Structure formats: structure tokens, C-alpha cells
Amino acid sequence: MDASAKLNVAKSLPKKPFARPSREEAEAAVRTLIAWAGDDPTREGLLDTPRRVTKAYGEFFSGYDDDPGTILSKTFKEAGGYDDIVLVKDIPFSSHCEHHMVPFVGKAHIAYLPHDGIVGISKLARLVEAFSRRLQVQEVLTAQIIDAVNEHLNPRGAAVLLKAEHMCMSMRGVRAHGATTVTQRFSGVFAEEKAEQDRFFEMIRRR
């Protein structure tokens, strides 16, 4: 992991331990937000909303409890001599922008060239989920995924591409409905050889 990648990952994590609020405190905060939005948190339709919201947040941000190293820890050394590109594409993900705490939704494509073995393909989808279920920006999410692949699989090269629509652009601000953001990052052979990058893009486009 290079210095800039380490900095990006560091920026995405809490700087120091902090006291996590209780569920009761979280529900009280939701009631405050409801009132600030202009509605009555005590009316019938909203009485149970704080409980539902905190439960939903437990799902939205469950990635803070996931360890990428554990997810990628089980590899298979015997791959029948296979040493070409392994690509898992169209992995759906949803995350929440750390600036406005609204969703961005898209698909991820991950490829690697095996060196020390292969990993179960479902683990790559699980890796995307672990990082996306945190307060995020897409650029850092892209870096986190490829850095984890490089660190724990030690491939000859890796490639990651994310394409997503950000609700902070389509629901508010410029309201650019349908606009998508694409981020990508390459390492090893994919970074050094354009032909391998071209193969990666061609495999993504292929149906």
C-alpha cells in the first residue's frame, strides 16, 4: 500500500476511540431531527420511527464491525494452474455519503491476477459490502477495496472500478438525476500494462 493510499484509508476511519451512544440516545436524536424537520415526533405515525431508524442504521453501517482481513483470510492454493484474470463484475452496493448522509448506489467490478492462490468469489462481494456499509466517499471506497485485495491476496495485479449514482446530487443541490460517478484504480500488472487494463474493460463490457 503506497503512502497516498494509506492516507486515504486513515482518513476514512475514526481517529481515536469514542463512546458509542446508547440506543436510547440514538432514538432521542432521531426525535430531535424529526422535530427540526418540522413534524411532531409524538404523532401516531412517527411514534415508532426512532426505533425503526436506529435498527436500519445498524444495517446500513454494519461494515464498521467487519474485518477485511478475516473476509479474505481463506484462500485456495490449488487452483489447477489457473493464473489468468479473475473478474467478479456487477456487484451491487449501496453506501452513504459522509458529507450528507444520503445514499449512493451502484455496481463494483473487481479483478485480480492470482499469485499465491485464489479466494472464494463471494468473498469479493463481501469485501465490497464491508467497506460500503460505512460513511464513505466513492473515491476512498475504491481505494479501500483494492488495497485490501493487494494486502491480503498478494496478486500480481488488481483492478477495481465503481460506478454509482449519488443521491446528494440527484435529490438535492443541482438535482442532476441520472448522473453517475465512475472511479477506478489499478495495481501491479494492471497498472503497468495497458493491454491488461484493456482486457479488464473488455471483460466488463462483455455480456
Side-chain angles (χ1 to χ4, degrees):
M1 186 185 304
D2 59 33
S4 62
K6 289 181 179 178
L7 179 60
N8 284 337
V9 173
K11 286 180 177 178
S12 70
L13 298 174
K15 295 296 187 295
K16 58 183 179 180
F18 59 93
R20 195 167 189 170
S22 67
R23 178 175 292 275
E24 291 74 20
E25 290 172 317
E27 291 181 3
V30 175
R31 282 189 285 271
T32 297
L33 286 173
I34 291 172
W36 186 86
D39 213 326
D40 178 6
T42 65
R43 72 175 175 85
E44 183 181 14
L46 292 172
L47 278 176
D48 208 28
T49 296
R51 182 190 63 80
R52 295 190 188 101
V53 171
T54 53
K55 181 179 179 181
Y57 265 43
E59 297 178 22
F60 294 157
F61 304 115
S62 60
Y64 286 112
D65 297 322
D66 291 331
D67 176 21
T70 300
I71 293 170
L72 299 178
S73 62
K74 176 64 174 178
T75 58
F76 303 92
K77 302 299 182 183
E78 296 182 4
Y82 186 85
D83 61 358
D84 207 342
I85 294 176
V86 177
L87 168 67
V88 181
K89 65 180 183 178
D90 296 326
I91 302 170
F93 73 89
S94 59
S95 189
H96 282 73
C97 168
E98 66 183 40
H99 299 147
H100 300 98
M101 294 183 71
V102 294
F104 61 97
V105 179
K107 291 185 177 181
H109 312 279
I110 305 175
Y112 71 98
L113 286 161
H115 174 58
D116 288 335
I118 58 174
V119 69
I121 54 177
S122 67
K123 302 303 183 183
L124 295 178
R126 187 72 184 87
L127 181 67
V128 173
E129 183 179 64
F131 283 126
S132 64
R133 289 186 178 273
R134 306 178 184 187
L135 291 171
Q136 276 287 15
V137 294
Q138 185 174 328
E139 296 87 343
V140 172
L141 176 58
T142 306
Q144 289 174 330
I145 293 169
I146 196 169
D147 288 341
V149 170
N150 285 328
E151 179 179 356
H152 300 291
L153 299 184
N154 190 29
R156 288 179 288 124
V160 174
L161 185 147
L162 271 59
K163 182 177 182 180
E165 180 175 1
H166 291 247
M167 299 302 107
C168 58
M169 281 185 60
S170 60
M171 293 176 60
R172 58 163 299 281
V174 296
R175 293 183 174 83
H177 299 283
T180 55
T181 299
V182 178
T183 52
Q184 62 188 41
R185 189 162 166 198
F186 305 101
S187 68
V189 175
F190 286 103
E192 297 162 2
E193 299 182 15
K194 185 178 183 301
E196 292 302 300
Q197 290 185 24
D198 291 342
R199 280 215 300 155
F200 170 66
F201 290 127
E202 175 59 28
M203 290 174 73
I204 289 175
R205 290 191 293 266
R206 191 181 304 157
R207 295 296 178 185

